[in-house]
Amino acid sequence: MGSSVTGTSIIKGLGFNSFGIGANACTVDIDEENDKILRIRPFHFDEHYTPEELNYWKIEARGRTFEPGLKTYISPLSLSYKKRVYSKNRIPCPLKRVDWDPDGERNPGNRGKSGYVRISWDEATSIIAREIKRMHDTYGPEAILCEVDGHGETKVVHAAHGSITRLLDECGGYTLQSRNSDSWEGWYWGAKHIWGMDPLGQTSFQNNIIKDISENGDAVLFWGCDVETTPLGWGGYMASRICSWFTEIGVKQIHIAPDVNYTNAVHADKWIPVLPNTDAALQLAIAYTWIKEGTYDQAYLDTHAVGFDNFKYYVLGGEDGVPKTPKWAEAICGVPSYTIKALARYWARHAVSIAHCNGGSFIRSCFSHEPARLEVALLGMQGLGKPGANQFKMLEWTLFGIPTVTPLPPSTCIPNIGEAYLGFITGTKPSFIPKTMIPQAILNPPVQWYGHIAAGLPREDQFTGPLTFPVEGKSRIHMVWSDTPCWETCWNGGFKMQDALRHDSIEFVVVQHPWMENDCNFADIIIPSNTKFETEDIGTDNDSGQWTVVFYEKQAIKARMDSKSDVEGVAEIARALEKFGGIYENLHERFMGGRTFDEWIKAGFETCGIPEGAMTYEEFKEKQYYPFPTREDWEDMPAGLIGFHDDPEGNPLRTPSGKLEYYSTTLAQMFPDDKERGPIPRWVHVSDEHEERTNTERGRTYPFLLVSNHPHFRVHAQHDDVTWLREIETCKVVGPDGYRYEPIWVNPIDAGKLGLETGDIAKLYNERGGVLGGVIVSERIMPGALYQDHGSRVDSIVMGEGGLDRGGANNLIAPSATTSKNAAGEVTSGFLVNIEKVDVLALAEQYPEAFSRDYDPDCGLVATARMAEGA
């Protein structure tokens, strides 16, 4: 790789996993002389290595061949990322809220409304240091809440998330916002209890599943799964190519979802529309059909499961007098009974696997542990683990460094550059709050829950507790420090979070971020982080599905405007704290670990797993990457759960019995009064905290169920300002005021009843507030459901509970209550709303300030929208 007419070529990883976990290796052409990114293009694995050296793999089945190719299949989200680097929404310099005075009136109620003025880095770091010292002296370290999790750029040495915890660990600690299993909620809280799969509840045994399905499978159920969307920020388009391969060899693809998502539109052989968060009823009716028709594998269950008779008794109506018939399910889930029976009969006669991509109403709604458990229950009834019958994932193929979670041929090593990582490592702290409970913990402490919540902990941890915040004898929260400022648009009950951030108890909010968006607008001090193009680093691509790679990331351009990397910014705060002496003495040196950035990169290289003698550090920086070849024995690796299928005693599951547990004795013992997550997977209608069903009193007022999926044109809240993506017609709907509104899909039947047409601006609302959006009338969404992606940038007209948002950030009106009584997961899809047409020109007259913020339709809100005049 050298200079050419395209400029100098360097390698960057453009996955958006964060936590130092890489993906989407790409080649970036830069103009070094003019300090400019020219273009981003696929990375070629064979730049310095031959196919033979890579041990190029092929899957051959049914007279066809599937092969990985020699370049990464990166997504538009990565290819267009330079537009984010040069966005008008970049924070230009350190900023201070105009009416926040650390030595006087702090005006917490004005957060989200007030503008900002420019200050210097010295002033910003001095203020932050003084506030940290004041918190320590007045309240103790637990008064500082660190929000350091969530998705973002994948940086390693320069750590997009969590470097602030390294600093505070050196001077007494902090309260951690504990990252829950946001992409895996139902599996984490439910499926673990039936098949014991740690760390996340989805199957941990996926080796050779694609090969197995290619040879033995008849069909794959894509249950609320959008392969053309969700993996794009993590692993690129390999998952899409797998779907095309299934079509080529005749493996049927059946999509079960309320919407014709992008994968459904391109690859599906059959669409079965089901109302959001009613999958459990459909699943129970399938089980009922199998039981009544004798088409399930009783012999398998006799040797591989416990408690099936309890489950069977419930399904047949023995417990509540209600048999879970297809007719019963039809009234709940909207799937005709004849379709349910046809699906059940097809499944019983064929080898069927289930694919997932995380997210959506199936796994992120109230009681989501039930459809997750029922999915495993159904797989068990048809001989889970037999050829062609497994569960598998279309992304996160090396998650937690587990070698058995990739369904494609694995490389010899999953490289680990953790030695170089200067961010937060997922885990627990003595003082912590589940992320889903932050607003309650601020507004109404104390709060209680079970489990340490952090994604990846074993099943048994869910029984720990009850745990409490504040910890006895320790302070409540008085300061919030965030490097992941998207809580209100990505979690449950965002309007309540707005109220929490404006609460009198919160004396100081500091945010570090590259872009002026979402929670940044509630900060008292903002410090500008730079992007990964502005730093030198080391990275990995572990999730392409091709070969795992370690690469050297040369700095592409100089730091833009007055920004620093997250680590550099926190290091400056460490220097400012040193003047106080005592526990802060020599803090900068301790924070940086006695190494320069290049020494950190070298340490990552030396410990990542590259075989000794294979490459020197100098060669690494010259070639810029090292690929790990495919395992020689990959074809001989057992497929999926075939070991458990063939020998359950020799290959037990991680449940107490070692078998599938249709009746969980541990749930029965630990939570005997839990009616929402009992020992048997079931249909849960409502609870004291959730009434999100259409056939309830509340459902008469809010008669639609909202589908809020991973967005096609963003990664959660990221990329909403990318001009190239906003040009796409279905990305936004242009209103009469020129504003580009987040789309709302409405079925023609519902649109006709409500007088809605494509291009109208409408309000989605419930008692928690409302969000605006642009109507697209489409048969791609079933009647009774509405579709609006989550993650759009917050642009609130009225803040707080009962508020109104122009940006379409529908997490603002999601329930604040967690998954269920003893499961502290998020509920951000499959909840009740209503919809009505609005006159945005009249709203503009009513709220002139909100409608006059600096706005560029090609980008959305720009940084100056929150800058005070003359700043």
Side-chain angles (χ1 to χ4, degrees):
M1 296 183 181
S3 298
S4 68
V5 293
T6 60
T8 301
S9 296
I10 66 173
I11 299 175
K12 287 287 181 182
L14 283 181
F16 304 97
N17 306 18
S18 190
F19 298 120
I21 305 169
N24 279 352
C26 63
T27 300
V28 181
D29 295 321
I30 60 174
D31 180 346
E32 291 186 284
E33 184 176 346
N34 294 303
D35 191 34
K36 184 178 181 180
I37 300 168
L38 297 175
R39 67 169 179 162
I40 299 168
R41 54 191 174 89
F43 165 74
H44 289 254
F45 294 96
D46 60 345
E47 181 76 19
H48 295 297
Y49 297 87
T50 67
E52 291 74 23
E53 289 173 307
L54 294 170
N55 190 21
Y56 192 87
W57 57 265
K58 295 180 181 180
I59 295 175
E60 296 179 343
R62 311 186 198 199
R64 306 277 183 164
T65 302
F66 181 74
E67 51 190 306
L70 290 167
K71 66 178 181 180
T72 52
Y73 302 104
I74 65 174
S75 77
L77 299 173
S78 299
L79 292 170
S80 64
Y81 200 66
K82 76 171 188 175
K83 302 295 289 184
R84 188 122 161 97
V85 177
Y86 295 112
S87 172
K88 294 180 181 179
N89 200 36
R90 285 288 298 268
I91 298 169
C93 58
L95 300 170
K96 184 175 80 70
R97 184 160 63 89
V98 294
D99 53 358
W100 182 80
D101 181 359
D103 299 314
E105 181 55 55
R106 294 178 179 245
N107 296 302
N110 288 343
R111 293 189 183 113
K113 300 177 183 178
S114 307
Y116 292 87
V117 293
R118 178 189 298 265
I119 59 176
S120 67
W121 270 97
D122 283 346
E123 183 178 358
T125 55
S126 176
I127 291 172
I128 296 167
R130 283 165 49 202
E131 288 297 298
I132 292 171
K133 176 70 162 55
R134 188 175 68 82
M135 291 291 151
H136 287 169
D137 291 347
T138 307
Y139 305 112
E142 295 80 12
I144 303 174
L145 172 67
C146 287
E147 297 184 322
V148 294
D149 60 272
H151 302 292
E153 289 188 310
T154 297
K155 300 175 184 174
V156 179
V157 172
H158 289 277
H161 296 320
S163 55
I164 61 181
T165 64
R166 291 178 58 88
L167 176 73
L168 294 178
D169 268 332
E170 292 291 336
C171 45
Y174 54 91
T175 290
L176 173 66
Q177 172 182 273
S178 185
R179 160 78 178 281
N180 68 304
S181 306
D182 60 330
S183 288
W184 320 286
E185 295 288 20
W187 293 296
Y188 185 87
W189 295 106
K192 282 192 178 191
H193 298 287
I194 190 169
W195 65 351
M197 291 291 174
D198 283 327
L200 299 172
Q202 301 154 312
T203 180
S204 302
F205 300 95
Q206 299 184 57
N207 288 145
N208 271 337
I209 283 182
I210 302 303
K211 179 176 181 291
D212 175 53
I213 292 171
S214 301
E215 295 171 346
N216 305 299
D218 296 313
V220 174
L221 303 182
F222 290 75
W223 214 307
C225 175
D226 189 357
V227 171
E228 295 289 340
T229 292
T230 311
L232 299 189
W234 283 262
Y237 273 117
M238 178 59 96
S240 172
R241 293 185 68 245
I242 292 171
C243 293
S244 297
W245 163 247
F246 287 159
T247 298
E248 183 179 341
I249 62 175
V251 174
K252 299 299 182 185
Q253 297 173 68
I254 301 168
H255 280 253
I256 304 172
D259 55 305
V260 178
N261 60 40
Y262 292 86
T263 308
N264 190 341
V266 175
H267 301 289
D269 294 288
K270 175 72 176 177
W271 173 39
I272 299 176
V274 59
L275 284 169
N277 194 28
T278 65
D279 306 85
L282 170 59
Q283 292 163 316
L284 286 164
I286 292 170
Y288 178 91
T289 303
W290 289 343
I291 291 169
K292 294 299 285 186
E293 297 181 355
T295 52
Y296 67 99
D297 193 339
Q298 182 65 60
Y300 175 92
L301 295 172
D302 288 341
T303 54
H304 290 70
V306 296
F308 178 75
D309 286 344
N310 302 76
F311 176 68
K312 180 179 177 181
Y313 181 73
Y314 170 74
V315 171
L316 294 179
E319 182 177 312
D320 56 10
V322 180
K324 309 307 180 289
T325 66
K327 272 295 182 185
W328 166 84
E330 178 182 329
I332 296 171
C333 69
V335 182
S337 60
Y338 59 81
T339 301
I340 296 173
K341 286 185 277 191
L343 173 61
R345 289 164 182 166
Y346 177 90
W347 192 343
R349 294 194 307 267
H350 295 84
V352 177
S353 289
I354 299 179
H356 284 293
C357 282
N358 304 342
S361 305
F362 179 83
I363 216 67
R364 282 181 160 174
S365 200
C366 56
F367 322 130
S368 60
H369 35 67
E370 298 311 287
R373 286 204 285 176
L374 285 165
E375 176 176 310
V376 181
L378 295 182
L379 286 168
M381 291 177 74
Q382 295 300 333
L384 172 65
K386 72 182 180 183
N390 279 283
Q391 183 199 76
F392 69 101
K393 294 178 63 175
M394 286 292 203
L395 76 169
E396 298 173 338
W397 288 330
T398 57
L399 195 65
F400 288 93
I402 302 172
T404 59
V405 298
T406 175
L408 291 164
S411 297
T412 56
C413 173
I414 300 173
N416 185 336
I417 49 179
E419 179 65 23
Y421 182 51
L422 298 184
F424 173 73
I425 304 298
T426 299
T428 64
K429 287 287 177 181
S431 180
F432 75 97
I433 311 168
K435 189 168 187 175
T436 51
M437 300 177 73
I438 296 297
Q440 297 94 311
I442 291 174
L443 294 169
N444 192 31
V447 292
Q448 282 193 337
W449 65 92
Y450 280 87
H452 288 88
I453 310 304
L457 294 179
R459 178 185 58 86
E460 293 80 4
D461 183 71
Q462 295 182 25
F463 305 125
T464 303
L467 301 170
T468 304
F469 178 86
V471 175
E472 185 176 356
K474 304 297 182 181
S475 174
R476 67 185 293 172
I477 298 302
H478 292 287
M479 171 179 163
V480 177
W481 190 352
S482 174
D483 60 18
T484 56
C486 64
W487 202 108
E488 58 183 317
T489 192
C490 287
W491 296 87
N492 50 305
F495 272 138
K496 182 168 281 190
M497 183 60 165
Q498 291 183 348
D499 288 335
L501 290 171
R502 296 181 298 152
H503 194 258
D504 287 343
S505 64
I506 304 302
E507 300 171 12
F508 182 46
V509 179
V510 57
V511 167
Q512 52 194 80
H513 196 53
W515 301 279
M516 189 67 132
E517 56 195 18
N518 304 318
D519 303 356
C520 290
N521 301 316
F522 291 82
D524 301 314
I525 297 291
I526 302 173
I527 55 176
S529 303
N530 55 30
T531 69
K532 66 179 302 144
F533 290 93
E534 295 147 81
T535 61
E536 179 189 25
D537 213 328
I538 187 172
T540 61
D541 185 342
N542 290 343
D543 285 341
S544 71
Q546 297 165 281
W547 294 271
T548 52
V549 179
V550 177
F551 45 85
Y552 166 65
E553 296 195 14
K554 181 179 177 181
Q555 184 175 349
I557 57 174
K558 296 175 184 175
R560 297 200 67 232
M561 296 178 279
D562 197 12
S563 65
K564 300 179 186 291
S565 78
D566 287 87
V567 170
E568 289 170 334
V570 175
E572 291 299 309
I573 296 167
R575 289 191 190 278
L577 279 165
E578 286 184 336
K579 67 183 180 183
F580 297 117
I583 62 171
Y584 311 108
E585 187 175 346
N586 198 33
L587 185 57
H588 181 272
E589 176 74 8
R590 287 185 281 143
F591 170 73
M592 287 303 299
R595 289 171 170 166
T596 65
F597 288 127
D598 185 69
E599 287 170 339
W600 279 111
I601 293 171
K602 186 177 182 181
F605 164 79
E606 291 176 341
T607 58
C608 70
I610 295 175
E612 187 174 354
M615 174 182 276
T616 66
Y617 184 52
E618 289 69 29
E619 290 173 325
F620 177 62
K621 296 181 79 170
E622 179 184 352
K623 288 185 174 181
Q624 300 188 61
Y625 75 101
Y626 179 87
F628 294 85
T630 308
R631 279 181 55 159
E632 292 288 347
D633 63 343
W634 72 270
E635 292 185 271
D636 300 324
M637 300 173 71
L641 282 165
I642 189 67
F644 173 70
H645 177 275
D646 291 349
D647 180 9
E649 301 299 330
N651 299 279
L653 300 176
R654 297 191 193 109
T655 57
S657 66
K659 299 180 180 182
L660 293 169
E661 297 199 349
Y662 286 78
Y663 183 96
S664 170
T665 55
T666 49
L667 283 176
Q669 292 166 1
M670 300 304 298
F671 301 124
D673 300 322
D674 192 337
K675 304 301 182 184
E676 300 158 43
R677 188 179 55 156
I680 303 166
R682 65 182 62 230
W683 170 255
V684 183
H685 190 56
V686 297
S687 70
D688 291 341
E689 294 195 318
H690 289 297
E691 191 179 322
E692 304 294 341
R693 306 297 188 191
T694 54
N695 58 347
T696 62
E697 186 66 31
R698 187 166 173 268
R700 294 189 180 94
T701 306
Y702 309 111
F704 296 97
L705 285 162
L706 180 66
V707 184
S708 182
N709 287 341
H710 284 113
H712 191 62
F713 303 104
R714 297 186 296 275
V715 180
H716 300 294
Q718 302 168 83
H719 298 79
D720 202 25
D721 58 351
V722 174
T723 58
W724 290 346
L725 299 176
R726 291 172 71 93
E727 291 173 4
I728 300 169
E729 184 178 1
T730 52
C731 180
K732 299 288 182 180
V733 174
V734 180
D737 52 355
Y739 193 95
R740 293 187 178 178
Y741 289 88
E742 186 67 15
I744 305 170
W745 295 3
V746 186
N747 183 273
I749 294 173
D750 295 324
K753 293 177 181 177
L754 296 166
L756 294 172
E757 298 179 357
T758 294
D760 286 344
I761 307 305
K763 177 174 72 171
L764 295 175
Y765 66 94
N766 53 33
E767 75 278 13
R768 294 180 285 269
V771 298
L772 302 185
V775 172
I776 296 177
V777 178
S778 174
E779 291 184 338
R780 289 178 63 178
I781 184 68
M782 69 182 294
L786 300 169
Y787 174 102
Q788 187 185 56
D789 284 330
H790 98 115
S792 184
R793 266 181 296 170
V794 172
D795 186 8
S796 291
I797 299 167
V798 178
M799 289 187 298
E801 282 205 276
L804 179 63
D805 186 75
R806 193 182 185 193
N810 54 63
N811 285 49
L812 293 167
I813 60 172
S816 293
T818 59
T819 304
S820 68
K821 177 181 178 181
N822 295 309
E826 65 172 286
V827 180
T828 51
S829 189
F831 55 88
L832 290 176
V833 297
N834 207 339
I835 185 172
E836 63 183 20
K837 184 178 178 178
V838 298
D839 183 343
V840 292
L841 299 180
L843 281 174
E845 293 182 4
Q846 184 178 358
Y847 301 102
E849 183 179 347
F851 277 74
S852 62
R853 295 174 186 141
D854 284 357
Y855 179 82
D856 180 346
D858 293 332
C859 165
L861 288 173
V862 295
T864 52
R866 297 292 181 170
M867 304 282 281
E869 189 173 343

